[in-house]
Amino acid sequence: MSILTWTYIMVGITFSLYLSIAWIARVKTTSGFYVAGGGVSPLANGMATAADWMSAASFISMAGLISFMGYTGSIYLLGWTGGYVLLALLLAPYLRKFGKFTVPDFVGDRYYSDIARFVALICAIFVSFTYVAGQMRGVGIVFSRFLEVDVNTGVLIGMAIVFFYASLGGMKGITYTQVAQYLVLIVAYLVPAIAISLKITGTFLPQLGFGSTIAEGPNAGKYLLDVLNHLNADLGFAEYTKAFGQGSKSMLDVFCITMALMVGTAGLPHVIVRFYTVPSVRAARLSAGYALLFIAILYTTAPAIASFARYNMINSISGVEYSKAPTWFKNWEKTGLIAWSDKNQDGIIEYFPGDPFTGKPTFTGEKGSYGQELLSNSPTDNKNELFIDRDIMVLANPEIANLPPWVIALVAAGGLAAALSTASGLLLVISSSISHDLYYRLINRNASEKQRLMVGRIMIGLAVCVAGYFGIHPPGFVAQVVAFAFGLAASSFFPIIVLGIFFKRANREGAICGMIAGISFTCYYIVNIKFLGGTPWLLGISAEGIGTVGMLINFIVTLLVSFITAPPPADVQEMVENIRFPRGAGASIDH
Amino acid sequence: MKKDLKMYWKKNLSLMVVLLSIWAIVSYGFGIIFVEQLNAIKIAGFPLGFWFAQQGAIYIFVVLIFIYYFIMKKVDEEYDVHE
């Protein structure tokens, strides 16, 4: 059977699975809709959290990024896992005991202020939309590459499916669908990784494989990472395992980016809300453990895939004549994710540091003398002739390793599962922020349960349309706004939630000033660098890492202002006291 | 009763401090600040600092959360605040 047939089969089976689960888990109450009725087991919630967390970017792009960055790629590995320790120890158990629906709920109640609630609400919506735009685009891209439909058609199919199961099942439907999506995506990630690890090193576990010796070929018997270091050095790149070398980020910057990603993770509303769905405080702690365990399975495989892919890529195409290049090279050349500009007219693919030409490849439609696609981009004056999109590392991996067509189809289904699970979780946060925090808490306190469910479903519909719009007309700044999502989450929610739990004296005035100071500084710095072309003036910290400084500012301002203004009222202090002890958590309550 | 709860909270806080210190040492310490020194040591094909940054720290993160879960489960019951 062809790859396309296999892909239709795999995608068809997995999608019918998701839709049946959504139908079985459909809900009728607001608490089922927002927090799955608080009755999800820690194991299931852990899997759902993992699927929610691992997006198209984790599944498709991360290993490729690490492959090109070497050691510096650790910022993503550490940053996107370490935040769960903060969640498990500092946030999840207490927010679960508090037991309301959303993050703005906690902020609004703990700081007895609708202004604080409103600021938190705006941040939650902004962060979630930033994220979801990228996911819908991811769905479109995976569809177009593997099902051979137009990207926009792909986005539309994805929108319809997400709308169906999110509006029908709410959090409950989404949670159980995400459990299935986790299983699909993790199998799709591991199968090719194990096959490639066996092929290159003869070791079954990729996690051990990339520290093992190469099994055959001219480098047989040498450690893979040593060989990679040599290959990189010979071509003029920094050694693969070397930290903070020439051309890579400074130690301070790596530190700040890692911290901003960790703290940002712990502050992301769609991650936090997952811990309201379990039955007890103890279950919330355990569920964070399971979540990280399931995430770690993918995150410890990714760096292995990265180094295998780097080795395969350099070996099979660098310095090879185009006419003898492997077939996957020509297959992916058609998609524009790989391109070759024969600068010195010798017919050999030469790979060196630097961009081969300016911008993304645009083909003229004509073929060169070796059969390659000709480019209309203006070449740069370095020696590099090869353009490779980093996404290719995971997507083309099965082809590079000569795996059967069903594995390629499985990777497509896995990529879709990763993008859809994250998109649906985010859409629910957006809808609950608007229907619960804005409509019910701030506009109409007398709304009946039925009305609120209705508003919730309408909001999911609207959110899907807006997300779809951004998926079809992606703003040019998607890559830039990711720094925003984490920077904002780190500099807004995290400090005031932590202080809200561990520091009784933190009050309304402090929280509002702290949030505003943290967000303003972070926004100013990021906008200045990413949109106005400014330099990273603060000790060279990049826009991705500045959330760390924003967070510190938020902490300091909240503390200072809290000390010079009146302490919070007695009932709020009592509430803080109360959330510190697990007993009496009950189900997540409506209020 | 009140005094007991204070003790419970203190125990929780000190456990947190210990676990978060380990969290910081393996990631920011071994994986970032001392990565170059640790890279001089090799275990199989892995330079040690690189291994902590791309593998080791993540395993330890998982273990830390489960340790917190098991110890707090005991402490909750000891102070009779469990659900």
Side-chain angles (χ1 to χ4, degrees), chain A residues 191-259:
Chain A
V191 168
I194 291 170
I196 293 169
S197 182
L198 280 172
K199 202 165 180 171
I200 296 183
T201 66
T203 311
F204 182 81
L205 278 181
Q207 284 84 343
L208 300 176
F210 80 122
S212 309
T213 52
I214 292 168
E216 51 188 36
N219 293 312
K222 293 183 193 157
Y223 283 118
L224 174 71
L225 289 172
D226 288 343
V227 172
L228 266 185
N229 282 343
H230 282 294
L231 287 174
N232 262 6
D234 287 348
L235 296 174
F237 294 91
E239 285 191 359
Y240 191 80
T241 59
K242 190 171 166 17
F244 326 122
Q246 185 195 355
S248 59
K249 299 179 189 302
S250 70
M251 185 191 289
L252 179 69
D253 203 19
V254 169
F255 192 101
C256 284
I257 295 176
T258 307
M259 178 77 87

Side-chain angles (χ1 to χ4, degrees), chain A residues 108-146:
Chain A
D109 285 8
R110 167 62 182 84
Y111 294 106
Y112 46 99
S113 154
D114 279 345
I115 299 177
R117 187 190 305 274
F118 189 71
V119 175
L121 175 64
I122 297 295
C123 290
I125 293 175
F126 183 85
V127 168
S128 307
F129 262 121
T130 311
Y131 233 85
V132 86
Q135 298 308 315
M136 293 316 282
R137 188 73 189 162
V139 173
I141 289 173
V142 176
F143 267 121
S144 76
R145 241 169 254 168
F146 290 99

Side-chain angles (χ1 to χ4, degrees), chain A residues 71 94 211 226 280-281 300 583, chain B residues 12 31 42 45 55 81-83:
Chain A
Y71 162 80
Y94 310 105
D226 288 343
S280 64
V281 171
T300 53
R583 176 162 293 169
Chain B
N12 178 25
K42 279 192 138 195
Q55 295 278 304
V81 294
H82 60 288
E83 294 128 300

Side-chain angles (χ1 to χ4, degrees), chain A residues 336-356:
Chain A
L337 289 178
I338 204 165
W340 174 54
S341 153
D342 194 12
K343 288 180 184 167
N344 55 5
Q345 309 287 320
D346 63 354
I348 295 172
I349 303 164
E350 278 158 281
Y351 178 52
F352 294 106
D355 294 326

